[in-house]
Amino acid sequence: MIHITLPDGSVKTFDENVTPMDVAKSISEGLARNVISASFNGTTVETVTPLTTDGSLVLYTWNDTEGKTAFWHSSAHVLAQAIEELYPGAKLTIGPAIENGFYYDVDFGGHSISEKDFKAIEDKMLDIARGKHDFKMRSATKAEALQLYKNNEFKTELIENLEDGTITFCDHSTFTDLCRGGHIPNTGIIKAAKILSVAGAYWRGNENNPQLTRVYGISFPKQKDLTEYLELLEEAKKRDHRKLGKELELFTFSQKVGQGLPLWLPKGAALRERLENFLKAAQKKAGYEMVITPHIGQKELYVTSGHYAKYGADSFQPINTPKDGEEFLLKPMNCPHHCEIYNNAQWSYKDLPKRYAEFGTVYRYEQSGELHGLTRVRGFTQDDAHLFCTPEQLDEEFKNVIDLVLYVFGSLGFENFTAQVSLRDPENPDKYIGSLENWEKAEKAIMSATIDKGLTYTVKTGEAAFYGPKLDFMVKDALGRQWQLGTIQVDYNLPERFDLTYKGSDNELHRPVMIHRAPFGSMERFIAILLEHTAGNFPLWLMPTQAIILSISEKYEKYAEKVLNLLENDEIRALVDHRNETIGKKIREAEMQKHPFMIIIGEQEEKENKITVRKHGGEDLGMISIEDFSKIIKTEINKTLKSF
């Protein structure tokens, strides 16, 4: 007999070789119908895997992230079989589940795949799925595996790097694939499938390797789920920050300047400036001091910090000066520079905490295939700050930073979020710098502050920064997509590497603790996410233009200018559309430009010294005084932009 512990802490006794599906059936038939994956003692298993020892079992359905992963991983196998049957001679490589769906990288040889082929692949997938073929795992020797893939150099390369005795295959229908496991019970659970796109992808991500075709797909257990997802995709296209950024004239890119290096247009620069000023005002109240650091630094600076060892190979390469042996790097991080600012003076415990903040631009060489609008760039500006405090001050300082992050989210309409505590991977110590003792202290500090603030949180092992654990904020946007926004990190290691000290009350030198924090993360990525979350309808306090004045004809231009001056005197951002166009066209274009308020000026408005106001979206506020309009603006701003 073996003892199986369930997530609620209950323990059930079963005969040896019981399967996760058997356990599900023992709980309820309804659960058994919905279980599609499982994990045992933290390892993903099949629902038919025999369990031979005591352990902890978790059963997953479609509603669980792990369940979706198994579902989409299994669907990738079905996609691979469909491709193999439709395109004889195509060479399969790898096909993992991803955040939304799955892909398979394929060498199609002489075939080329385009959108016109998607329907045939989808139909073939569903035809295979209707066969209700079981997914079955089996072991194979290295020799057997190599023989099976003797005509596929990609699979052969994978197998060569595996140890004999660790190689497994998954079979379903007439199809076999090299696989570690983690499948749904059978293909029949897949009721809907869609091929989303194709793209080029280098084998194993190396541009020196052959280029393959990456086929992206998604699948669901119900057709209505696919329909809803495709509707969501259509909405996402409308909200794409690259599209909106162009329409709203916020930013652009230039091949001559270089890939991944955004150029901010006047409206975008003004938007950024308002965001910066918003955070600077809150930081000033919280006791931060602004600093400025160079865009480059000597290579030795980043060797000392550890950034060069961890990221040097993937960064812009060193800049050689006319002086022999002198090397500089484009700044990949602001924190080493801030450590040196702290080191500029000798500090007492009475001087701490020191809070240095900077909107500092950093540079990282992302592969061209990974670049994506503002969300993945090569040059970006972080709203970075580094706090240097005593160990006794750490808890309060960390909680204060949490308050600042929550203030930022609240003022910008991000209300649906959870916290993620990212810890080191104890099985992979080489990924990190510093002593185990320092890591344990830092992790304890983050957990304590997170619990005390009452945050809803999850714990992710192995997601820590190389120098310390962190608290990340995972925000859901208006389309339900999850983004990591805002991060706070506790660091005992860089103060050691830079020999940072302060004089304690005992007159001895001590090490400060360092907190890294960035509520926005990067200005570029934050604005991209904010654009898509709001569909360009930013909070009123942030809008480039809060009101546009539309005169019915040229006769009322003088009154329009008078209204503009009165609004500007009241610190309301407005402009006049002077064009000789019909009022209907002006209104339509103002709607497209997402101006929050349209002020219509005509004979009656001038006569009564009033304005007719129309909100973005079509709501008519009627004819009101300019003073009343100013009150409407200020009231709406105050609803969102609360004091910190």
Side-chain angles (χ1 to χ4, degrees):
M1 304 295 284
I2 59 173
H3 303 288
I4 303 297
T5 303
L6 299 174
D8 64 0
S10 62
V11 179
K12 296 175 75 81
T13 302
F14 297 93
D15 291 331
E16 198 172 315
N17 292 318
V18 68
T19 68
M21 186 59 74
D22 293 331
V23 176
K25 288 177 181 177
S26 76
I27 298 171
S28 78
E29 285 297 325
L31 176 61
R33 284 193 298 271
N34 289 301
V35 165
I36 57 177
S37 182
S39 68
F40 188 63
N41 290 335
T43 300
T44 300
V45 295
E46 312 294 304
T47 57
V48 294
T49 299
L51 307 179
T52 59
T53 64
D54 294 347
S56 298
L57 178 69
V58 183
L59 301 168
Y60 301 121
T61 70
W62 167 256
N63 294 323
D64 300 304
T65 300
E66 296 84 352
K68 287 183 174 68
T69 298
F71 193 95
W72 287 329
H73 171 66
S74 305
S75 300
H77 282 273
V78 177
L79 169 62
Q81 182 184 0
I83 288 171
E84 199 171 68
E85 292 182 10
L86 290 171
Y87 302 95
K91 294 178 181 178
L92 303 171
T93 66
I94 57 172
I98 53 178
E99 184 177 1
N100 284 299
F102 51 89
Y103 69 77
Y104 216 110
D105 285 347
V106 185
D107 179 355
F108 279 96
H111 299 289
S112 61
I113 302 298
S114 66
E115 195 168 343
K116 65 180 175 58
D117 304 299
F118 291 0
K119 180 70 165 54
I121 298 173
E122 293 161 7
D123 290 344
K124 177 62 73 173
M125 287 182 68
L126 292 176
D127 184 53
I128 294 167
R130 282 189 287 268
K132 297 183 179 179
H133 306 290
D134 292 339
F135 288 97
K136 299 176 181 178
M137 295 296 297
R138 63 181 171 88
S139 298
T141 66
K142 195 166 188 175
E144 290 170 340
L146 289 172
Q147 177 61 28
L148 179 65
Y149 289 115
K150 62 184 178 182
N151 296 320
N152 185 328
E153 64 272 24
F154 306 104
K155 295 284 193 184
T156 298
E157 182 180 325
L158 295 174
I159 295 164
E160 290 288 5
N161 292 322
L162 299 175
E163 295 294 327
D164 210 342
T166 65
I167 299 171
T168 53
F169 286 100
C170 180
D171 302 324
H172 78 269
S173 181
T174 60
F175 182 74
T176 294
D177 205 357
L178 182 70
C179 184
R180 291 176 180 169
H183 304 91
I184 58 179
N186 65 72
T187 62
I189 301 171
I190 302 167
K191 302 295 187 185
K194 184 73 176 174
I195 303 303
L196 299 173
S197 63
V198 292
Y202 292 110
W203 168 235
R204 307 191 92 170
N206 187 331
E207 59 187 13
N208 296 317
N209 287 338
Q211 189 170 58
L212 307 170
T213 299
R214 178 166 292 178
V215 183
Y216 286 97
I218 197 162
S219 57
F220 294 92
K222 296 178 182 177
Q223 178 61 43
K224 78 176 186 65
D225 293 336
L226 174 59
T227 301
E228 290 172 0
Y229 180 77
L230 294 178
E231 290 172 353
L232 195 68
L233 278 187
E234 284 304 308
E235 182 61 25
K237 287 179 183 176
K238 296 176 189 174
R239 291 170 176 255
D240 189 317
H241 75 276
R242 295 167 298 179
K243 173 178 175 288
L244 291 173
K246 183 175 182 179
E247 291 173 356
L248 301 178
E249 300 175 351
L250 299 178
F251 60 88
T252 188
F253 289 90
S254 162
Q255 287 297 322
K256 288 184 179 179
V257 173
Q259 286 185 299
L261 300 171
L263 300 170
W264 290 91
L265 304 177
K267 290 181 182 178
L271 175 73
R272 274 185 57 149
E273 184 179 28
R274 278 189 292 280
L275 278 172
E276 288 186 15
N277 290 340
F278 156 72
L279 187 56
K280 283 177 180 176
Q283 287 177 163
K284 185 175 182 180
K285 289 182 180 179
Y288 287 78
E289 300 172 282
M290 295 301 298
V291 297
I292 299 174
T293 62
H295 289 252
I296 64 173
Q298 286 200 93
K299 176 182 170 182
E300 187 58 36
L301 176 70
Y302 309 112
V303 171
T304 299
S305 69
H307 289 98
Y308 187 77
K310 295 293 178 182
Y311 302 120
D314 299 319
S315 295
F316 286 96
Q317 292 307 293
I319 303 165
N320 294 305
T321 72
K323 183 179 178 181
D324 188 39
E326 187 174 54
E327 291 182 311
F328 284 78
L329 288 180
L330 287 172
K331 179 172 60 173
M333 287 279 194
N334 297 303
C335 34
H337 297 251
H338 291 189
C339 286
E340 286 301 290
I341 288 177
Y342 179 91
N343 252 345
N344 178 60
Q346 293 181 336
W347 305 105
S348 159
Y349 71 98
K350 296 178 181 179
D351 301 314
L352 301 186
K354 299 299 293 181
R355 308 179 187 96
Y356 296 135
E358 175 181 19
F359 286 87
T361 302
V362 298
Y363 303 89
R364 298 176 196 170
Y365 187 80
E366 301 284 357
Q367 296 293 329
S368 58
E370 299 294 324
L371 298 173
H372 182 80
L374 294 180
T375 59
R376 202 74 180 265
V377 290
R378 289 174 173 169
F380 54 95
T381 302
Q382 292 181 309
D383 59 319
D384 233 346
H386 297 93
L387 294 77
F388 302 89
C389 63
T390 69
E392 294 76 23
Q393 295 168 332
L394 176 59
D395 183 64
E396 182 181 1
E397 288 299 310
F398 197 91
K399 290 174 182 175
N400 289 342
V401 175
I402 291 176
D403 290 338
L404 179 61
V405 172
L406 299 184
Y407 167 69
V408 169
F409 288 175
S411 296
L412 289 159
F414 289 111
E415 298 172 352
N416 188 355
F417 62 87
T418 57
Q420 176 179 300
V421 179
S422 300
L423 308 178
R424 73 196 184 290
D425 180 359
E427 304 297 322
N428 231 328
D430 292 343
K431 286 174 60 178
Y432 313 101
I433 62 174
S435 68
L436 180 60
E437 178 188 4
N438 282 345
W439 274 91
E440 288 176 344
K441 287 191 291 186
E443 290 178 346
K444 183 179 178 182
I446 286 183
M447 289 297 298
S448 174
T450 301
I451 292 168
D452 286 351
K453 295 301 291 185
L455 296 177
T456 300
Y457 71 95
T458 58
V459 176
K460 291 287 185 181
T461 300
E463 296 293 319
F466 75 90
Y467 47 77
K470 56 182 179 170
L471 178 66
D472 292 327
F473 290 84
M474 315 304 291
V475 175
K476 277 194 175 180
D477 68 10
L479 297 182
R481 300 170 300 182
Q482 186 166 271
W483 304 87
Q484 186 267 311
L485 281 181
T487 185
I488 318 171
Q489 302 157 4
V490 175
D491 183 3
Y492 281 84
N493 294 310
L494 285 188
E496 283 191 358
R497 295 177 78 101
F498 281 92
D499 194 24
L500 308 184
T501 61
Y502 67 90
K503 187 168 286 188
S505 58
D506 58 1
N507 221 29
E508 298 292 329
L509 292 180
H510 300 270
R511 292 259 184 257
V513 185
M514 189 173 175
I515 299 174
H516 307 242
R517 57 109 275 217
F520 292 145
S522 87
M523 299 299 292
E524 286 72 14
R525 186 170 175 273
F526 188 86
I527 289 172
I529 295 167
L530 186 62
L531 260 173
E532 298 193 4
H533 176 59
T534 63
N537 299 305
F538 298 118
L540 187 58
W541 67 267
L542 188 58
M543 287 297 289
T545 301
Q546 294 167 325
I548 184 167
I549 303 168
L550 311 175
S551 59
I552 290 175
S553 76
E554 293 180 3
K555 290 192 295 183
Y556 310 109
E557 288 293 321
K558 190 173 181 181
Y559 182 58
E561 288 296 331
K562 176 186 174 182
V563 171
L564 175 65
N565 290 333
L566 289 171
L567 292 176
E568 287 181 339
N569 288 340
D570 229 354
E571 297 185 340
I572 293 171
R573 294 187 293 276
L575 58 85
V576 178
D577 185 344
H578 289 290
R579 296 175 305 154
N580 186 22
E581 299 285 358
T582 65
I583 191 67
K585 183 174 182 180
K586 287 182 178 182
I587 289 173
R588 286 194 301 274
E589 292 184 358
E591 280 284 343
M592 289 178 62
Q593 286 291 311
K594 302 183 184 295
H595 296 299
F597 291 94
M598 283 159 269
I599 295 174
I600 316 299
I601 299 293
E603 181 180 4
Q604 193 68 23
E605 286 80 12
E606 183 180 43
K607 184 178 179 180
E608 297 189 27
N609 201 33
K610 291 185 176 181
I611 55 178
T612 294
V613 180
R614 174 190 174 107
K615 289 189 75 172
H616 174 63
E619 183 184 352
D620 192 347
L621 302 185
M623 190 182 296
I624 59 176
S625 69
I626 297 170
E627 292 79 8
D628 285 344
F629 177 67
S630 294
K631 289 176 184 176
I632 290 172
I633 292 275
K634 289 175 181 177
T635 299
E636 190 162 327
I637 288 174
N638 289 335
K639 283 181 185 176
T640 305
L641 191 59
K642 299 178 176 64
S643 59
F644 177 68

